[in-house]
Amino acid sequence: MSAGHANAARHGSGPDQDQDVDLVGVGFGPANLALAIAVDEHNAQCGPGRAIRTAFVERQQQFGWHRGMLLPGTTMQVSFLKDLATMRDPSSRFTFLRYLHDRGRLADFINQKSFFPTRLEFHDYLLWCAAEFTDRVRYGREAAEVRPVERDGAVEAFDVLTESVASGQETEALRARNLVISTGLVPRMPAGTAIGPHVWHTRDLRLNAEAVTDRPHRRFVVVGAGQSAAEAAEYLHREFPDAEVCAVFTRYGYSPADDSPFANRIFDPAAVDDFYRAPDEVKQALLTYHANTNYSVVDGELIEQLYRTAYQEKVAGTERLRVMGTTALTAVEQLPDGARAVLRSLTTGEAFTLECDAVVMATGYTPTDPLDLLGPLAGECLTDEQGRLRIGRDHRVATTDRVRAGIYVQGAAAGHSHGITSSLLSTLAVRSGEICDSLLLGRAERDVLTGRGAADASPAGGVPVAAG
């Protein structure tokens, strides 16, 4: 976009017609990729002029999903049938099975007799899907600001101002009747620690580990007790056969994930309906009951593998994998050639230190707050008694009557209203269809309110969701 048009957008006049779309998606991870697929398949079936025009903004220079944890041999914890399309439309051309057929590996995959592809293969599937939407994604750009576009006192659209991640300049404006915020998660670090050359978060594990050259201490410390922590410990132990790996966590041992059939119903699309309708106290109870399906738990086979490794090393008298339960990390000190982990035994109170080449934090993530992006529009969004966004079943944020354009939220920010799957892959296919349907319903309602005919090709819009 030219500088002149960017300046015009900043002063309230409309962006180029080429930048005027029905939907802007902020973030282009699996969630908004699934939405792009649902919209694309609607567009392939709708009548002339009824297509939903989309644009997406993504900070990364290319599509990528947890690249730092694409560790060799690690498998998905979710069935390949819960891909980006199958649960919504098994005949979709974007299913994992279609991907396998296209890659010439369908028979080979079937012969594995497994529902769980490797993480590397599933990432390749996501890349295969994302390649279809390159022309609709502004990679290397971030949404810097969202401004309301008003008509007669009502917010009818949004101007999404984006900037180059590399330069922080080159402002571009996208105007849309709907906004879908799917900005993912940010690494969570223990208090008093920060990511640095020798203090890593698992988000960047593989990239950092592959760049290691000097290892004077021949030791790594992994902090955390969940799946990522266990995978990090196994990976470092395997990739650095001359190094000691210390797995540090406050629990007595790793806890197994509950992946039993009845418990897994919490990940079904129908469970989202049950959760959404439930009273707040029931919602909280369900999250507590079934936290062990996803949070701070480890696949049982991996636990057994790590235990066998530790035991066999004890037998051989060469213990490289040290599992240090009931131990807390109290500080990390930077060293010129590494880091010093300051630890404390929870049972004895004894404090001790470990000098290492890197401390790896497998300490999880924190959801981004959608309101941070909305600026003054945040005041138009309705919240509940606990200050959380009020989100409709169709994933649209409840707003004041003044806002007629649609704001949708995907991801962990909707966990309080839509349940445990909000930040997971399990219901992406179905959720994307629900948002697409909501956009179409909003367009139909807008056509009625404005007197437009059913064949009008105006952008998809919406009326406010009920404030109650």
Side-chain angles (χ1 to χ4, degrees):
M1 184 177 184
S2 69
H5 284 127
N7 291 333
R10 285 189 178 275
H11 288 86
S13 60
D16 263 350
Q17 184 64 31
D18 289 344
Q19 308 296 317
D20 195 349
V21 295
D22 303 313
L23 165 69
V24 166
V26 179
F28 198 65
N32 269 346
L33 174 55
L35 178 58
I37 290 170
V39 169
D40 183 78
E41 295 185 336
H42 157 75
N43 290 348
Q45 298 175 10
C46 69
R50 300 302 295 169
I52 298 175
R53 294 171 295 166
T54 61
F56 296 90
V57 180
E58 170 55 47
R59 284 180 52 85
Q60 297 184 99
Q61 296 296 333
Q62 58 184 336
F63 184 90
W65 177 67
H66 295 299
R67 285 183 178 272
M69 282 300 288
L70 296 179
L71 309 179
T74 55
T75 59
M76 300 290 293
Q77 273 71 58
V78 62
S79 166
F80 72 86
L81 293 172
K82 294 183 177 180
D83 56 26
L84 302 183
T86 297
M87 296 287 282
R88 173 180 52 82
D89 178 10
S91 67
S92 167
R93 68 186 181 96
F94 289 97
T95 67
F96 186 77
L97 290 178
R98 288 290 294 268
Y99 154 79
L100 288 173
H101 186 270
D102 185 71
R103 290 286 198 251
R105 294 199 307 269
L106 181 56
D108 294 332
F109 183 86
I110 292 171
N111 289 338
Q112 288 190 127
K113 300 181 181 179
S114 173
F115 274 86
F116 307 104
T118 65
R119 198 170 294 162
L120 282 167
E121 183 172 35
F122 199 81
H123 187 264
D124 189 59
Y125 157 70
L126 296 176
L127 291 173
W128 178 80
C129 292
E132 293 290 317
F133 302 97
T134 303
D135 61 333
R136 276 154 277 184
V137 185
R138 272 73 167 174
Y139 286 110
R141 304 192 68 84
E142 63 180 339
E145 185 180 356
V146 176
R147 292 186 175 181
V149 177
E150 298 186 23
R151 184 177 299 111
D152 298 327
V155 178
E156 300 284 355
F158 309 110
D159 278 346
V160 182
L161 304 184
T162 73
E163 294 177 348
S164 166
V165 173
S167 67
Q169 301 173 357
E170 303 173 28
T171 302
E172 178 182 87
L174 297 166
R175 177 164 293 181
R177 292 270 171 86
N178 298 279
L179 180 68
V180 179
I181 302 175
S182 181
T183 46
L185 306 166
V186 294
R188 181 170 59 239
M189 298 289 287
T193 66
I195 293 174
H198 302 284
V199 181
W200 309 339
H201 190 274
T202 48
R203 177 195 64 177
D204 307 309
L205 174 59
R206 184 176 182 182
L207 307 178
N208 285 333
E210 290 178 347
V212 167
T213 53
D214 297 325
R215 292 185 294 107
H217 305 286
R218 296 190 179 182
R219 177 188 289 134
F220 295 94
V221 172
V222 179
V223 180
Q227 181 72 24
S228 293
E231 290 178 352
E234 190 280 331
Y235 168 73
L236 292 169
H237 183 271
R238 170 165 40 91
E239 293 297 312
F240 298 95
D242 62 341
E244 179 181 270
V245 177
C246 300
V248 174
F249 45 80
T250 56
R251 298 185 179 201
Y252 201 82
Y254 292 113
S255 298
D258 183 358
D259 62 351
S260 57
F262 288 111
N264 274 344
R265 285 180 172 175
I266 196 70
F267 302 115
D268 290 352
V272 178
D273 292 320
D274 295 336
F275 189 91
Y276 189 83
R277 291 192 296 258
D280 281 347
E281 61 272 18
V282 176
K283 285 184 170 74
Q284 187 54 54
L286 289 172
L287 291 174
T288 301
Y289 293 153
H290 296 289
N292 64 344
T293 60
N294 184 65
Y295 301 112
S296 298
V297 288
V298 182
D299 177 74
E301 291 185 4
L302 180 55
I303 293 176
E304 293 179 4
Q305 177 186 340
L306 290 172
Y307 187 87
R308 282 194 302 269
T309 297
Y311 179 75
Q312 290 165 5
E313 289 183 348
K314 185 177 291 187
V315 171
T318 55
E319 297 181 52
R320 287 199 306 113
L321 178 60
R322 297 174 60 193
V323 179
M324 306 170 68
T326 64
T327 302
L329 176 79
T330 59
V332 176
E333 300 171 0
Q334 298 285 349
L335 302 175
D337 57 357
R340 179 182 293 116
V342 183
L343 307 172
R344 179 174 58 86
S345 168
L346 298 181
T347 55
T348 68
E350 177 190 3
F352 58 100
T353 63
L354 291 174
E355 294 188 356
C356 53
D357 299 300
V359 177
V360 181
M361 301 295 187
T363 45
Y365 296 85
T366 300
T368 55
D369 188 347
L371 296 179
D372 291 343
L373 176 64
L374 295 176
L377 282 165
E380 304 286 349
C381 298
L382 304 183
T383 58
D384 62 15
E385 296 80 1
Q386 300 181 50
R388 303 171 303 188
L389 281 175
R390 295 175 65 178
I391 304 173
R393 179 60 187 85
D394 61 352
H395 312 279
R396 181 172 173 173
V397 176
T399 62
T400 63
D401 291 340
R402 199 172 78 85
V403 180
R404 295 182 179 175
I407 302 172
Y408 294 82
V409 170
Q410 296 208 70
H416 65 280
S417 57
H418 289 69
I420 199 169
T421 60
S422 295
S423 60
L424 306 178
L425 295 174
S426 297
T427 59
L428 285 191
V430 174
R431 184 202 306 165
S432 63
E434 292 168 346
I435 295 176
C436 185
D437 289 345
S438 179
L439 295 171
L440 295 172
L441 178 61
R443 167 187 277 173
E445 291 175 339
R446 184 178 181 85
D447 286 349
V448 171
L449 289 176
T450 59
R452 293 188 177 103
D456 195 327
S458 62
V463 296
V465 291

Coordinates of all heavy atoms in Angstrom, one line a residue, residues 321-359:
L321 N 20.5 -39.2 33.0 CA 19.1 -38.7 33.1 C 18.8 -38.7 34.6 O 18.6 -39.7 35.2 CB 18.1 -39.5 32.3 CG 16.6 -39.1 32.5 CD1 16.4 -37.6 32.0 CD2 15.7 -40.0 31.7
R322 N 18.7 -37.5 35.2 CA 18.4 -37.3 36.6 C 17.0 -36.7 36.7 O 16.8 -35.5 36.4 CB 19.5 -36.5 37.3 CG 20.9 -37.1 37.2 CD 21.9 -36.1 37.8 NE 21.6 -35.7 39.2 CZ 22.2 -34.7 39.8 NH1 23.0 -33.9 39.2 NH2 21.8 -34.5 41.1
V323 N 16.1 -37.5 37.2 CA 14.7 -37.0 37.5 C 14.6 -36.5 38.9 O 14.7 -37.3 39.8 CB 13.7 -38.1 37.2 CG1 12.3 -37.5 37.4 CG2 13.8 -38.6 35.7
M324 N 14.5 -35.2 39.1 CA 14.6 -34.5 40.4 C 13.2 -34.0 40.8 O 12.9 -32.8 40.6 CB 15.7 -33.4 40.4 CG 17.0 -33.9 39.9 SD 18.2 -32.6 39.5 CE 18.5 -32.1 41.2
G325 N 12.4 -34.9 41.3 CA 11.1 -34.5 41.8 C 11.1 -33.8 43.1 O 12.2 -33.7 43.8
T326 N 10.0 -33.2 43.5 CA 9.9 -32.4 44.8 C 11.0 -31.4 44.9 O 11.6 -31.2 46.0 CB 9.8 -33.3 46.0 OG1 11.0 -34.0 46.2 CG2 8.6 -34.3 45.9
T327 N 11.3 -30.8 43.8 CA 12.4 -29.8 43.7 C 11.9 -28.5 43.0 O 11.3 -28.6 42.0 CB 13.7 -30.3 43.0 OG1 14.1 -31.5 43.7 CG2 14.8 -29.3 43.0
A328 N 12.2 -27.4 43.6 CA 11.8 -26.1 43.0 C 13.0 -25.3 42.5 O 14.0 -25.3 43.1 CB 11.0 -25.3 44.1
L329 N 12.7 -24.7 41.4 CA 13.7 -23.7 40.9 C 13.4 -22.4 41.6 O 12.3 -21.8 41.5 CB 13.5 -23.5 39.4 CG 14.4 -22.5 38.7 CD1 15.8 -23.0 38.5 CD2 13.8 -22.0 37.4
T330 N 14.5 -21.8 42.3 CA 14.3 -20.5 43.0 C 14.9 -19.4 42.2 O 14.5 -18.2 42.5 CB 14.8 -20.6 44.4 OG1 16.2 -20.9 44.3 CG2 14.1 -21.7 45.2
A331 N 15.9 -19.6 41.4 CA 16.5 -18.5 40.6 C 17.4 -19.1 39.5 O 17.7 -20.3 39.5 CB 17.4 -17.7 41.6
V332 N 17.7 -18.3 38.6 CA 18.6 -18.6 37.5 C 19.6 -17.5 37.4 O 19.3 -16.3 37.3 CB 17.9 -18.8 36.1 CG1 18.9 -19.0 35.0 CG2 16.9 -19.9 36.2
E333 N 20.9 -17.8 37.5 CA 22.0 -16.9 37.4 C 22.7 -17.0 36.1 O 23.1 -18.1 35.7 CB 22.9 -17.0 38.6 CG 22.3 -16.9 39.9 CD 23.2 -17.3 41.1 OE1 24.3 -17.7 40.8 OE2 22.8 -17.2 42.3
Q334 N 22.9 -15.9 35.4 CA 23.7 -16.0 34.1 C 25.2 -16.1 34.4 O 25.7 -15.5 35.3 CB 23.4 -14.7 33.4 CG 22.0 -14.4 33.0 CD 21.5 -15.3 31.8 OE1 22.3 -16.0 31.2 NE2 20.2 -15.3 31.6
L335 N 25.8 -17.0 33.6 CA 27.2 -17.2 33.6 C 27.8 -16.8 32.2 O 27.0 -16.8 31.2 CB 27.6 -18.7 33.9 CG 27.0 -19.2 35.2 CD1 27.4 -20.7 35.3 CD2 27.6 -18.5 36.4
P336 N 29.0 -16.5 32.2 CA 29.6 -16.1 30.9 C 29.5 -17.2 29.8 O 29.4 -17.0 28.6 CB 31.1 -15.8 31.2 CG 31.1 -15.5 32.7 CD 30.0 -16.3 33.3
D337 N 29.5 -18.5 30.3 CA 29.5 -19.6 29.4 C 28.3 -20.5 29.6 O 28.3 -21.7 29.2 CB 30.8 -20.4 29.5 CG 31.0 -20.9 30.9 OD1 30.2 -20.6 31.8 OD2 32.0 -21.6 31.1
G338 N 27.2 -20.0 30.3 CA 26.1 -20.9 30.6 C 25.2 -20.2 31.6 O 25.0 -19.0 31.6
A339 N 24.6 -21.1 32.5 CA 23.7 -20.6 33.5 C 23.8 -21.4 34.7 O 24.3 -22.6 34.7 CB 22.2 -20.6 33.0
R340 N 23.4 -20.8 35.9 CA 23.4 -21.6 37.1 C 22.0 -21.6 37.6 O 21.4 -20.6 37.9 CB 24.3 -20.9 38.2 CG 24.3 -21.6 39.5 CD 25.2 -20.9 40.6 NE 26.6 -20.9 40.2 CZ 27.3 -19.8 39.9 NH1 26.7 -18.6 39.9 NH2 28.6 -19.9 39.6
A341 N 21.5 -22.8 37.8 CA 20.1 -23.0 38.3 C 20.2 -23.2 39.8 O 20.9 -24.0 40.3 CB 19.5 -24.3 37.7
V342 N 19.5 -22.3 40.5 CA 19.4 -22.4 42.0 C 18.2 -23.2 42.4 O 17.1 -22.8 42.0 CB 19.4 -21.0 42.6 CG1 19.5 -21.1 44.1 CG2 20.6 -20.2 42.1
L343 N 18.4 -24.3 43.1 CA 17.3 -25.2 43.4 C 17.1 -25.4 44.9 O 18.0 -25.2 45.7 CB 17.5 -26.6 42.7 CG 17.9 -26.5 41.2 CD1 18.3 -27.9 40.7 CD2 16.6 -26.0 40.4
R344 N 15.9 -25.9 45.2 CA 15.6 -26.2 46.7 C 14.8 -27.4 46.8 O 13.7 -27.5 46.1 CB 14.9 -25.0 47.3 CG 14.6 -25.2 48.8 CD 14.0 -23.9 49.4 NE 12.8 -23.5 48.7 CZ 11.6 -23.9 49.0 NH1 11.4 -24.8 49.9 NH2 10.6 -23.4 48.3
S345 N 15.2 -28.3 47.6 CA 14.4 -29.5 47.8 C 13.2 -29.2 48.7 O 13.3 -28.5 49.7 CB 15.2 -30.6 48.6 OG 14.4 -31.6 49.0
L346 N 12.0 -29.5 48.2 CA 10.8 -29.2 49.0 C 10.7 -30.1 50.2 O 10.0 -29.7 51.2 CB 9.6 -29.4 48.1 CG 9.5 -28.5 46.9 CD1 8.2 -28.8 46.1 CD2 9.6 -27.0 47.2
T347 N 11.3 -31.3 50.2 CA 11.2 -32.2 51.4 C 12.2 -31.9 52.5 O 11.9 -32.0 53.7 CB 11.3 -33.6 50.9 OG1 12.5 -33.8 50.2 CG2 10.1 -34.0 50.0
T348 N 13.4 -31.5 52.1 CA 14.4 -31.3 53.1 C 14.7 -29.8 53.3 O 15.4 -29.4 54.3 CB 15.7 -32.0 52.7 OG1 16.3 -31.3 51.5 CG2 15.5 -33.4 52.4
G349 N 14.3 -28.9 52.4 CA 14.7 -27.5 52.4 C 16.1 -27.2 52.0 O 16.5 -26.0 51.9
E350 N 16.9 -28.2 51.6 CA 18.2 -28.0 51.2 C 18.3 -27.2 49.9 O 17.6 -27.5 48.9 CB 18.9 -29.4 51.0 CG 20.3 -29.3 50.5 CD 20.9 -30.6 50.0 OE1 20.2 -31.6 50.1 OE2 22.1 -30.7 49.6
A351 N 19.2 -26.2 49.8 CA 19.4 -25.5 48.6 C 20.7 -25.9 48.0 O 21.7 -26.2 48.6 CB 19.5 -24.0 48.9
F352 N 20.7 -26.0 46.6 CA 21.9 -26.3 45.9 C 21.8 -25.7 44.5 O 20.8 -25.2 44.1 CB 22.0 -27.9 45.8 CG 20.9 -28.6 45.2 CD1 20.9 -29.0 43.9 CD2 19.7 -28.9 46.0 CE1 19.9 -29.7 43.3 CE2 18.6 -29.5 45.4 CZ 18.7 -29.9 44.1
T353 N 22.9 -25.8 43.8 CA 23.0 -25.2 42.5 C 23.5 -26.2 41.4 O 24.2 -27.2 41.8 CB 23.9 -24.0 42.4 OG1 25.2 -24.4 42.8 CG2 23.4 -22.9 43.4
L354 N 23.1 -26.0 40.2 CA 23.6 -26.8 39.1 C 24.1 -25.8 38.0 O 23.3 -25.0 37.5 CB 22.5 -27.7 38.5 CG 22.0 -28.9 39.4 CD1 20.8 -29.5 38.7 CD2 23.2 -29.9 39.6
E355 N 25.4 -25.9 37.6 CA 25.8 -25.1 36.5 C 25.6 -25.9 35.2 O 25.9 -27.1 35.2 CB 27.3 -24.8 36.7 CG 27.6 -23.9 37.9 CD 29.0 -23.4 38.0 OE1 29.8 -23.8 37.2 OE2 29.3 -22.6 38.9
C356 N 25.1 -25.2 34.2 CA 24.7 -26.0 33.0 C 24.9 -25.1 31.8 O 25.1 -23.9 31.9 CB 23.2 -26.4 33.2 SG 22.1 -25.0 33.6
D357 N 24.7 -25.8 30.6 CA 24.9 -25.0 29.4 C 23.6 -24.3 29.0 O 23.6 -23.3 28.4 CB 25.2 -26.0 28.3 CG 26.5 -26.8 28.5 OD1 27.5 -26.1 28.6 OD2 26.5 -28.0 28.6
A358 N 22.5 -24.8 29.5 CA 21.2 -24.1 29.3 C 20.2 -24.6 30.3 O 20.1 -25.7 30.7 CB 20.7 -24.3 27.9
V359 N 19.3 -23.6 30.8 CA 18.1 -24.0 31.5 C 16.9 -23.9 30.6 O 16.7 -22.8 29.9 CB 17.9 -23.0 32.7 CG1 16.6 -23.4 33.5 CG2 19.1 -23.1 33.7

